[in-house]
């Protein structure tokens, strides 16, 4: 926000120079760059000075500190150059009467410094070493969460919690709960009444089998009622900005359950993904594209949606962002009812979404196949899940939840076959980006079936 020249004036030259000089001379000098080391300084004074090993460790911290500072300055300056280039190009285009649209590219140089917070037992698998880091000088987020209870966080706990927290904040001010397993949603729901326990019941009901051993995140306070529901379900992590005291007391009876206080995530900014020999960097997808506003959607087939149907379509569209591609998501009444994720063709994603919707996740396979002596009461499937959800799913025929639901697809339907799977299952409305060379074929199929279809013009791939 400050003018360029004012920012440049704030760049420190002498301070980093003195710190680096002291660090280079660490055999004779102890350089301290963090208030977190003040207790160590006091102890060293009492004991007659720093050991060489300690001075060497402090020197390494000092160089890391100045390196992070230099990286921040150089990244900022490179970003200013890109912004200037776009402004110059826009001025030239305007003068020539050409298209002046455009935005700054990521900076030509990106320097990121990470500080290790803790070693982890292992990475994704036991043979992989791992640690958790935070961005130098940053606080908050999942990496900086305050743990109230439970076992130490694992690598997979961190990645799943990050995905769950991000999904929980995808719906603005609506009270939201997301249940995530292996970085994919088992269920997402909002509560129009602002009742987080209701949102949790609806999110869990999407797929109780997959929710077993998952991560739960919300954007509001975890109440005692929600805690009582969670207690009977095997869960790895519960993340929230706040917990009621009674909720902490209830959940703390589960000795391994991790309870995390997590601030609202920073939604803007860049994401960095390593590739062999380098990295690819992109702006974070925060559902702020023009096509994420339902008022911009194009009605391509079927009758226009009323307010309730449009609200469900908007919920489904915002929820599908959190699903790994190819992604197709079914929703009803502000809750997911079937999620088809991570398939290499869209037809299979449609089939998976419908299958999950119509079995309530109560298949007799995997975790759901455990007998009563092996699973915790209320954990998954059957009558125990019915007690948690407050329905009769345990002793009744599996409901056809796809019938009357809405669907969202993260990218266009390349053929009408995937859409036909949804139509045959009774889906009443679909929202998708459009843009396929066979769009008309897909639109015609929706029109023939009397299915409402909206095109957003925006895609939400996630890999």
């Amino acid at each position: 926000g400050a003018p360029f020249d004012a920012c440049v004036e704030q760049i420190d030259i002498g301070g980093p120079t003195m710190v680096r000089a002291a660090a280079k001379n660490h055999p004779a000098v102890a350089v301290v760059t963090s208030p977190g080391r003040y207790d160590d300084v006091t102890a060293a004074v009492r004991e007659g000075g720093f050991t060489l090993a300690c001075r060497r460790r402090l020197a390494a911290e000092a160089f890391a500190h100045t390196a992070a500072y230099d990286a921040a300055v150089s990244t900022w300056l490179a970003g200013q150059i890109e912004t200037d280039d776009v402004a110059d190009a826009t001025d030239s285009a305007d003068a020539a009467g050409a298209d002046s649209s455009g935005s700054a590219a990521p900076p030509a140089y990106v320097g990121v410094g990470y500080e290790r917070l803790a070693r982890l037992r292992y990475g994704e698998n036991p043979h992989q070493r791992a640690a958790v880091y935070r961005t130098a000088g940053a606080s908050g987020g999942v990496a900086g969460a305050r743990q109230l209870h439970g076992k130490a966080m694992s690598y997979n706990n961190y990645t799943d919690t990050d995905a769950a927290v991000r999904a929980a904040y995808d719906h603005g001010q609506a009270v939201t709960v997301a249940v995530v397993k292996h970085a994919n949603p088992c269920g997402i729901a909002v509560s129009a009444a602002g009742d987080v326990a209701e949102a949790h019941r609806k999110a869990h009901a999407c797929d109780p089998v997959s929710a077993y051993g998952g991560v739960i995140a919300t954007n509001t306070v975890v109440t005692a009622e929600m805690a009582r529901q969670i207690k009977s379900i095997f869960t790895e992590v519960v993340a929230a900005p706040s917990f009621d005291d009674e909720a902490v007391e209830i959940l703390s009876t589960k000795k391994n359950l991790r309870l995390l206080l997590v601030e609202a995530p920073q939604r803007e900014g860049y994401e960095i993904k390593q590739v062999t020999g380098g990295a690819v960097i992109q702006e974070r997808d925060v559902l702020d594209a023009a096509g994420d506003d339902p008022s911009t959607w194009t009605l391509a087939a079927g009758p226009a949606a009323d307010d309730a149907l449009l609200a469900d379509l908007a919920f489904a569209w915002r929820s599908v962002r959190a699903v790994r591609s190819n992604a197709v998501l079914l929703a009803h009444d502000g809750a997911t009812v079937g999620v088809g994720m991570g398939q290499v063709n869209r037809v299979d994603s449609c089939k998976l979404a419908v299958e999950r919707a119509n079995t309530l996740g109560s298949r007799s396979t995997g975790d759901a196949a455990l007998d009563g002596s092996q699973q915790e009461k209320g954990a998954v499937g059957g009558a125990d899940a019915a007690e948690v959800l407050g329905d009769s799913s345990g002793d009744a025929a599996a409901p056809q939840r796809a019938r009357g639901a809405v669907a969202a697809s993260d990218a266009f339907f390349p053929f009408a076959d995937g859409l036909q799977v949804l139509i045959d299952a009774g889906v009443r409305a679909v929202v998708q980006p459009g843009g396929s060379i066979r769009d008309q074929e897909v639109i015609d199929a929706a029109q023939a079936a009397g299915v409402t279809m909206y095109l957003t013009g925006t895609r939400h791939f996630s890999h």
Side-chain angles (χ1 to χ4, degrees):
F4 178 85
D5 290 342
C7 290
V8 170
E9 283 301 313
Q10 295 301 313
I11 297 174
D12 190 359
I13 300 301
T17 300
M18 289 188 289
V19 168
R20 288 169 58 86
K24 179 181 178 181
N25 288 287
H26 68 270
V29 178
V31 55
V32 180
T33 55
S34 169
R37 286 294 191 184
Y38 289 173
D39 288 344
D40 294 338
V41 173
T42 302
V45 170
R46 285 197 303 264
E47 296 168 9
F50 289 95
T51 64
L52 178 59
C54 188
R55 292 196 299 275
R56 187 171 294 159
R57 184 164 53 251
L58 291 171
E61 292 178 6
F63 278 119
H65 188 74
T66 58
Y69 182 77
D70 288 341
V73 171
S74 58
T75 300
W76 170 80
L77 189 55
Q80 298 303 305
I81 294 170
E82 296 290 346
T83 302
D84 291 344
D85 288 347
V86 169
D88 291 343
T90 300
D91 291 343
S92 298
D94 289 343
D99 181 9
S100 61
S101 61
S103 60
Y109 173 83
V110 175
V112 182
Y114 293 108
E115 301 168 340
R116 191 179 69 196
L117 291 178
R119 293 182 176 89
L120 303 177
R121 287 179 60 198
Y122 50 80
E124 284 187 281
N125 302 291
H127 65 278
Q128 295 173 268
R129 292 186 299 171
V132 59
Y133 294 78
R134 69 178 175 190
T135 306
S139 61
V142 170
R146 178 185 167 202
Q147 185 165 348
L148 302 179
H149 176 75
K151 291 172 62 176
M153 292 280 285
S154 71
Y155 181 99
N156 293 329
N157 290 155
Y158 275 112
T159 56
D160 277 358
T161 301
D162 191 63
V165 168
R166 186 174 171 188
Y169 283 87
D170 273 345
H171 297 272
Q173 298 302 310
V175 168
T176 307
V177 172
V179 183
V180 165
K181 182 88 162 284
H182 295 305
N184 271 302
C186 310
I188 302 172
V190 298
S191 170
D195 181 353
V196 69
E198 178 197 26
H200 171 250
R201 286 192 298 272
K202 291 162 66 176
H204 181 85
C206 180
D207 187 353
V209 170
S210 300
Y212 182 88
V215 169
I216 299 171
T218 181
N219 61 348
T220 191
V221 180
V222 174
T223 62
E225 182 182 358
M226 180 180 175
R228 280 188 284 270
Q229 293 170 184
I230 295 171
K231 182 181 176 182
S232 60
I233 305 163
F234 172 50
T235 301
E236 291 279 357
V237 181
V238 180
S242 182
F243 291 76
D244 283 347
D245 290 343
E246 186 179 358
V248 173
E249 183 178 345
I250 292 167
L251 295 175
S252 293
T253 61
K254 311 289 289 184
K255 67 176 183 178
N256 292 330
L257 175 59
R258 303 158 181 89
L259 305 181
L260 295 188
L261 282 176
V262 183
E263 299 173 3
Q266 177 183 345
R267 296 185 62 78
E268 294 77 19
Y270 289 98
E271 294 176 323
I272 301 174
K273 182 176 291 187
Q274 288 186 320
V275 296
T276 305
V280 289
I281 300 177
Q282 65 173 356
E283 289 181 319
R284 189 174 291 114
D285 186 354
V286 294
L287 293 160
D288 62 351
D292 294 323
D293 180 354
S295 68
T296 68
W297 295 353
T298 300
L299 178 64
D306 59 20
D307 289 345
L309 185 60
L310 191 61
D312 263 350
L313 285 166
F315 168 82
W317 181 247
R318 298 189 75 83
S319 295
V320 80
R321 197 281 318 153
V323 185
R324 299 293 183 178
S325 301
N326 286 313
V328 172
L329 180 146
L330 306 187
H332 176 70
D333 191 25
T336 57
V337 295
V339 183
M341 74 287 281
Q343 303 303 300
V344 292
N345 68 73
R346 201 154 296 277
V347 178
D348 283 349
S349 294
C350 293
K351 291 177 180 178
L352 182 59
V354 169
E355 190 266 345
R356 286 172 177 263
N358 289 345
T359 61
L360 190 59
S362 57
R363 299 179 302 279
S364 58
T365 59
D367 294 326
L370 299 177
D371 62 35
S373 66
Q374 293 175 289
Q375 65 175 254
E376 184 173 346
K377 183 176 178 60
V380 292
D384 288 342
E387 294 173 14
V388 175
L389 304 176
D391 64 22
S392 59
S393 61
D395 53 15
Q400 298 296 305
R401 294 188 299 171
R403 190 163 302 282
V406 305
S409 176
D410 67 339
F412 63 63
F413 291 91
F415 302 93
D417 49 1
L419 175 66
Q420 194 61 51
V421 171
L422 303 179
I423 293 171
D424 292 345
V427 169
R428 63 184 296 211
V430 177
V431 59
Q432 56 119 340
S436 167
I437 60 173
R438 296 182 179 84
D439 265 355
Q440 195 58 52
E441 173 188 330
V442 176
I443 291 169
D444 290 345
Q447 188 69 40
V451 169
T452 296
M453 175 174 285
Y454 283 95
L455 306 182
T456 69
T458 293
R459 190 179 72 186
H460 284 296
F461 268 164
S462 177
H463 296 96

